């Protein structure tokens, strides 16, 4: 049933905790190419240059995941293969606007067919298309218009460049018709602390200015909300403010300690996270330093950036992930051409097979930063699959002078062999986003498969359980740094499984701390057993919610 037919509530997939009410502001549509085409052939190259430069400038001004994806999108606009195809089409008689549109359409088809993480870049490709065509046709840049009042941003989908242009002080929530809960829009909204609902069929039928309520917990958008919903919104905002006043370390009701840490991508992120109550950094995405560059950063540049982060958390725990390039984060100086499925190809630690100097330089830089600051980083490699790879990484890291070494658990093979992997390293951290994708054989781009990608899936929790039990036996830490750590209900399950630390966006920490403080470690263990015994993700979550302390259900709106 359509909105026009009288629907008052639209359903999607929620990301975050907020419930807000406000008018919608719709993004400008993609530019339409007129029948006669258009554009000056001499401006084709400069148009690509202008877009690439603009995107790179936004990347440098942004932080965290937003900076990473903007840098990667800027590389797309500068990609010589894409430009070459557009130029060939112009030489064959197409207008510049037509050539850009059709060249990028072919790349979109290629990326979509490849699936996996590469397919997640389709939104970014389309953003490049829209921006270059707008320059060629002298049109307004597509995306969200300037916001004159606090508004709910509505779009078919939002590219990272669109998100970067937002004045977050005026954004109450983001609602999209496409996308998925682990896509770029959702991740960036989480980083910015903005409630988000994706996969919302019918949202684009609404007129600008329509008053709606967006509930990120239930994943719903309610038209013309009444007094009851407005009061719920006020109560949830007041509760969120109250939660932020608790700055104690993370722990269960009976005093079982659980470190609550921040995910960061840059030194700027570290400065911001270091100024609020956190217990360190659980994931430092070092690839942000590499994105948008034609060559790798020098060792001196890396030492400066790593030292800045370590100083922000002087004497504290900082978990550093080594370069996680490839798949949806291509780098022109390492990415291999012709990979049919980059998500299953040479990415993360596997780059050591072809470019060992990248890892060696990074490890040496981390060791130098440790010596300069007196703070010891915990250094882990992404996409490690076998105990042999863990052994090789540990040997390389220790030879470079890194003293605390770990790996990411992101693929089922690593989870199933966690005991053997932990025999080689000092700690592991579970990346639940990729673990869900690889376990459920479901492309993270495909929003219609969001139910399979749900981190509550019992099969995914089985692998987290296997990893956590291996950590308990080895008496070594097992953290979680995927998006599931930011869900205060799922956080209780993860702690019940034996996870020792949770890393998330800074804004998610207060709710997780509150949930932990209201449950004992034994209650968390009961919740974990309940979730593992469920037949489906939805059944598991509902059963755990029924076990929650009433104050937690009421305060967090679950």
């Amino acid at each position: 049933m359509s909105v026009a037919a009288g629907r008052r509530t639209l359903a999607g997939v929620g990301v975050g905790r907020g419930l807000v009410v406000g008018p919608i502001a719709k993004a400008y549509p993609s530019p339409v190419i007129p029948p006669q085409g258009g554009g000056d052939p001499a401006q084709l190259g400069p148009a690509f240059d202008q877009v690439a430069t603009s995107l790179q400038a936004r990347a440098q001004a942004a932080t965290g995941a937003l900076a990473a994806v903007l840098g990667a999108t800027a590389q797309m606009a500068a990609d010589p293969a894409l430009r070459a195809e557009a130029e060939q089409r112009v030489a064959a008689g197409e207008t510049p606007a037509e050539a850009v549109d059709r060249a990028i359409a072919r790349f979109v088809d290629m990326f979509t067919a490849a699936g996996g993480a590469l397919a997640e870049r389709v939104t970014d490709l389309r953003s490049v298309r829209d921006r270059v065509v707008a320059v060629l046709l002298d049109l307004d840049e597509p995306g969200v218009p300037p916001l004159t009042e606090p508004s709910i941003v509505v779009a078919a989908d939002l590219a990272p460049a669109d998100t970067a242009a937002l004045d977050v002080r005026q954004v109450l929530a983001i609602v999209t018709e496409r996308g998925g809960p682990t896509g770029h829009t959702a991740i960036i909204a989480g980083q910015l602390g903005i409630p988000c609902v994706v996969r919302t069929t019918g949202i684009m039928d609404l007129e600008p200015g329509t008053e709606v309520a967006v509930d990120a917990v239930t994943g719903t958008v309610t038209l013309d909300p009444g007094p009851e919903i407005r009061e719920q919104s006020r109560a949830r905002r007041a509760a969120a403010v109250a939660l932020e006043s608790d700055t104690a370390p993370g722990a269960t009701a009976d005093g079982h300690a659980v470190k609550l840490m921040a995910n960061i991508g840059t030194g700027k992120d570290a400065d911001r996270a270091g100024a609020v109550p956190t217990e360190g950094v659980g994931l430092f995405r070092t690839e942000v330093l590499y994105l948008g560059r034609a060559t790798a950063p020098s060792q001196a540049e890396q030492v400066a950036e790593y030292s800045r982060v370590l100083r922000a958390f002087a004497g504290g725990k900082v978990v550093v992930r080594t370069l996680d390039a490839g798949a949806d984060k291509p780098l022109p100086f390492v990415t291999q051409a012709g990979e049919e499925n980059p998500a299953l190809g040479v990415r993360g630690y596997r780059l050591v097979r072809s470019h060992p100097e990248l890892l060696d330089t990074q490890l040496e830089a981390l060791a130098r930063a440790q010596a300069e600051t007196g703070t010891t980083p915990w250094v882990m490699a992404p996409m490690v699959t076998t105990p042999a790879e863990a052994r090789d990484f540990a040997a390389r890291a220790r030879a470079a002078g890194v003293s605390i070494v770990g790996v990411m658990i992101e693929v089922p093979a690593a989870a199933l062999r966690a005991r053997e992997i932990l025999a080689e390293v000092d700690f592991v951290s579970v990346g639940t986003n990729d673990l869900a994708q690889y376990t459920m054989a479901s492309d993270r781009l495909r929003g219609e498969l969001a139910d399979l990608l749900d981190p509550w899936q019992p099969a995914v929790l089985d692998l987290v359980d296997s990893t956590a039990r291996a950590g308990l036996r080895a008496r070594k830490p097992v953290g979680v740094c995927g998006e599931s750590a930011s869900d205060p209900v799922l956080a209780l399950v993860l702690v019940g499984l034996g996870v020792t630390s949770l890393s998330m966006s800074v804004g998610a920490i207060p709710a997780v701390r509150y949930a932990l403080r209201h449950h004992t470690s034994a209650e968390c263990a009961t919740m974990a057993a309940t979730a593992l015994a469920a037949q489906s993700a939805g059944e598991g979550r509902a059963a755990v919610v029924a076990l929650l302390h009433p104050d937690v259900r009421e305060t967090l709106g679950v």
Side-chain angles (χ1 to χ4, degrees), residues 516-531:
L516 284 173
R517 196 175 305 290
H518 282 74
H519 299 89
T520 65
S521 52
E523 288 171 334
C524 290
T526 298
M527 293 176 182
T530 299

Side-chain angles (χ1 to χ4, degrees), residues 19 113 171 183 194 254 395 472 493 513 529 548:
L19 169 59
V171 179
I194 298 173
D254 54 334
L472 291 170
V493 171
R513 180 189 287 115
L548 290 175

Side-chain angles (χ1 to χ4, degrees), residues 71 87 123 208 425 434 438 440 500 507 510 549 554:
E87 289 168 354
T123 295
V425 297
D434 271 333
Y438 292 128
M440 304 305 294
T500 58
H549 190 289
E554 180 179 351

Side-chain angles (χ1 to χ4, degrees), residues 33 54 108 113 173 195 251 260 268 553:
I33 299 174
S54 173
V108 164
L260 303 181
K268 291 179 184 178
R553 278 202 299 271

Side-chain angles (χ1 to χ4, degrees), residues 487-521:
D487 178 347
V489 182
L490 187 50
L492 298 172
V493 171
L494 296 173
V495 170
L497 294 174
V499 168
T500 58
S501 66
L502 301 167
S503 188
M504 64 205 79
S505 61
V506 171
I509 291 177
V512 173
R513 180 189 287 115
Y514 182 82
L516 284 173
R517 196 175 305 290
H518 282 74
H519 299 89
T520 65
S521 52

